[in-house]
Structures are given as C-alpha cells and as structure tokens.
C-alpha cells in the first residue's frame, strides 16, 4: 500500500507537522504564514489523502473534485463554515474539527472583550499611549459595572456554557437563547426577543449558519437597551456590520467588543473610527496551550482516518 499524502495549507504552530511525520505520512507542507489562495490550494491538495486546513481556506466541491484521493478534511478550528460539508459527505470525505480544546481560551477572550468594552480599556489605552492623559480625574472614562446586570448568551454550546460559568464570579444574572433549551443549563432559557430586550450584555457564541446570519441586524439592535453592550467571538456574519456601525454611531446601543468580522481580514471602515467598540484580530483560541492542542487534535484525526480508524472529532457521521 502506498504511503498517504497529507497536505497542510499554511504554517502551523508547535507541534507543527511532527505528528504527521511520526505517523510516516508524506507531508506537503506549505510553510507560509498566510492564507492559501484557491489555485495554490488545488495544486497542493491534488495528490492528498488528507487535508489539514484552517478557517482561512475554503474547501468546496471544486477543490474536492481536484483531489480525488481525499479521505479526510481536518479543520484546525471548531467552526467549519469554511467547508462545504454536504459536498464532502457526497464524496465520502470525512470532515473533522477541533472542539473542546479551545473552549476555555475562547471563553476567556469573550470575557476579555466584555470587560474591555464595559470598562473602556481601548479608549484608555489610546489616551495614555498618545500622551493625552493629564492625570486622574473623577469623571474620566466612566464605564459600566457588571454586578447584578444581565448577561445574555446567544448559543449555549460548550463555549457559551464556559462564558456562563465565568459570569458567576462577576455576580451577573445569565439568560440564554439557543436552537433548543440545553438540559441542565444553569442559566434561564428565553426567546431571542427576550434575550435582546432584557440583556445588559449580549455575547454571541453560536456557529455561522444560514439561520444565524445577521441575527443581530438593525431591528435586533433597535430592540436592545441603549446601555447594552454586544460581544462577538463567534463568526462575523452573525452581525450585520453596517447596521452595528449605525447603531454605535447613533447611540442605539452603548458599545461592542468584536473578535470576528463579516469579511475578514477586512473590517468595516466605520468600526475603525468609533471609540465605543473594542476590536481584536480573531484571537479567540490564540493561547499557546489551545493552539498546540488544536494542531495535535487535527493531526490525531488525520492519523486515525488514514489508518482506517474512526476520527476523534467528526463534525458529521458518514454512515
Ligand atoms: C476559531 O475561530 C475556531 O472556530 O476555532
């Protein structure tokens, strides 16, 4: 039997491709620290039985047709909206992701943005770094306290639940909206309408699907409290960015913290001009620990499938 070829679409952090080499695969490693353009991806994946890809690469029917030996697409991300899963299933190609190992890192980053937005950390940083700070003033950059306020979580999966657990320490009341109520959830299930109207802070932790696209649009923003904050560490398309800019400009809501954008890496120019939004460059899982575990899990999935075993974390069953 010939040795399987595994294509790795871009430079990955430690442990890198070591687990794939140890498994004896022929590794086609595009060791470039940038997204792989579609034509290069087609060329890279053509002879591969396994594809190690990231959220920056689009895996569609055309790519799958150009790689007829492909048996597994291992995405190094928990979200997999970059992959046409139906096209993979049609061709018998397994799709895996990297859940669990990034839950805490992403929940922490959600809180970092929430706190930064609530306490106006971005504005404060800009003030101090630009030499415009003239000393302590009792009315300077007043933010909002969180104790006793209501945190509304849209998407009560593993990350949403981890965000909720952290809210206990901040003494916030937690409510959530999900496709369906989550058994055993400690927070109260509410309709989307109630989540929007009652929450002082709304965090988005749901996957990007046709159903969640623009769940936060102009109408939803108008339903929120004028003092409310919005935090998105899920995927950009959940929010209508143009509507958010208008809402932040017009005082429809008070502020936002964003880690993800509709057309990454492009950011709506209106957001860049606003002081009441904290902007991070898609850092949800960006800790040494989480990224190493994501690389290892994606490699473990490749090794399992290419040696005839079940993957550890399939996104869908092929049977
Ligand atoms: C990052 O955004 C991920 O989905 O893992």
């Amino acid at each position: 039997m010939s040795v399987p070829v595994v294509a790795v679409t871009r430079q990955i952090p430690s442990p890198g491709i070591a687990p794939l080499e140890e498994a004896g695969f022929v590794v086609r490693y595009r060791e470039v620290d940038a997204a792989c353009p579609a034509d290069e991806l087609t060329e890279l994946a053509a002879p591969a039985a396994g594809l190690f890809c990231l959220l920056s690469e689009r895996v569609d029917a055309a790519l799958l047709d150009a790689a007829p030996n492909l048996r597994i697409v291992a995405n190094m991300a928990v979200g997999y909206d970059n992959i046409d899963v139906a096209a993979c299933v049609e061709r018998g190609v397994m799709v895996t992701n990297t859940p669990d190992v990034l839950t805490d890192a992403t929940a922490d980053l959600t809180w970092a943005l929430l706190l930064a937005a609530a306490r106006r950390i971005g504005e404060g940083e800009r003030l101090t770094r630009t030499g415009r700070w003239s000393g302590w003033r009792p009315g300077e950059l007043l933010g909002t306290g969180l104790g006793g306020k209501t945190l509304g979580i849209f998407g009560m999966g593993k990350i949403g639940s981890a965000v909720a657990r952290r809210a206990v320490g901040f003494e916030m009341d937690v409510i959530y909206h999900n496709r369906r109520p989550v058994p055993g959830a400690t927070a109260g299930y509410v309709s989307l309408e109630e989540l929007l109207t009652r929450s002082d802070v709304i965090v988005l932790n749901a996957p990007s699907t046709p159903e969640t696209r623009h769940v936060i649009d102009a109408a939803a923003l108008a339903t929120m409290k004028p003092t409310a904050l919005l935090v998105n560490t899920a995927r950009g398309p959940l929010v209508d960015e143009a509507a958010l800019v208008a809402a932040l400009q017009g005082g429809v809501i008070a502020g936002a913290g964003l880690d993800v954008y509709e057309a990454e890496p492009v950011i709506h120019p209106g957001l860049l001009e606003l002081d009441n939004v904290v902007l991070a460059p898609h850092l949800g899982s960006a800790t040494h620990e989480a990224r190493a575990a994501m690389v290892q899990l994606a490699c473990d999935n490749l090794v399992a499938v290419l040696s005839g075993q079940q993957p550890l974390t399939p996104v869908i069953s092929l049977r």
Side-chain angles (χ1 to χ4, degrees), residues 19-258:
L20 301 173
E21 289 180 328
E22 277 157 26
F25 300 142
V26 173
V27 184
R28 302 193 89 200
Y29 187 20
R30 179 177 169 273
E31 205 175 351
V32 177
D33 193 14
C36 189
D39 52 344
E40 246 185 273
L41 184 57
T42 305
E43 193 276 322
L44 185 81
L51 180 67
F52 183 123
C53 62
L54 296 98
L55 54 84
S56 45
E57 280 85 46
R58 172 104 202 110
V59 176
D60 56 15
L63 176 70
L64 296 170
D65 289 340
N69 302 326
L70 211 55
R71 286 156 56 198
I72 169 170
V73 173
N75 207 36
M76 188 192 135
V78 66
Y80 48 88
D81 47 307
N82 57 313
I83 298 173
D84 184 339
V85 176
C88 290
V89 171
E90 244 171 60
R91 291 159 181 79
V93 176
M94 176 62 70
V95 180
T96 61
N97 66 342
T98 57
D100 306 322
V101 293
L102 46 59
T103 298
D104 285 331
T106 310
D108 288 349
L109 198 274
T110 304
W111 272 94
L113 281 178
L114 193 168
L115 289 165
R119 299 301 302 273
R120 305 176 64 181
I121 299 296
E123 289 167 84
E125 244 255 337
R126 288 190 286 281
L127 186 75
T128 47
R129 275 188 190 276
T130 53
R132 288 177 292 123
W133 187 47
S134 54
W136 187 84
R137 285 158 56 212
E140 184 159 66
L141 287 180
L142 302 186
T144 183
L146 296 173
K149 300 274 174 66
T150 298
L151 174 65
I153 298 179
F154 179 80
M156 197 62 147
K158 289 172 182 162
I159 296 171
S161 303
V163 169
R165 280 197 299 279
R166 284 153 176 76
V168 175
F170 288 92
E171 299 182 338
M172 293 187 81
D173 298 322
V174 187
I175 54 178
Y176 76 99
H177 180 74
N178 204 51
R179 271 173 305 175
R180 58 190 79 89
V182 176
T186 47
Y189 178 80
V190 294
S191 66
L192 178 58
E193 170 84 11
E194 197 174 340
L195 190 91
L196 293 168
T197 51
R198 273 181 56 193
S199 300
D200 295 295
V201 182
I202 292 189
V203 302
L204 306 179
N205 288 118
S208 177
T209 64
E211 292 74 41
T212 60
R213 183 181 149 72
H214 285 186
V215 63
I216 302 297
D217 59 7
L221 288 158
T223 313
M224 290 168 64
K225 296 181 183 179
T227 49
L229 303 171
L230 175 73
V231 176
N232 187 9
T233 52
R235 283 291 186 267
L238 271 71
V239 176
D240 178 342
E241 239 164 57
L244 178 62
V245 168
L248 290 168
Q249 279 167 346
V252 175
I253 67 167
L258 304 177

Side-chain angles (χ1 to χ4, degrees), residues 6-13 16-17 27-31 44:
V6 174
V8 181
T9 59
R10 62 184 293 175
Q11 195 177 79
I12 50 174
I17 60 168
V27 184
R28 302 193 89 200
Y29 187 20
R30 179 177 169 273
E31 205 175 351
L44 185 81

Side-chain angles (χ1 to χ4, degrees), residues 1 4 25 71-72 94 300-311 319:
M1 229 171 85
F25 300 142
R71 286 156 56 198
I72 169 170
M94 176 62 70
D300 290 347
N301 278 315
L302 283 156
V303 172
V305 170
L306 296 179
S307 54
Q309 288 151 33
Q310 289 302 311
R319 282 190 239 144

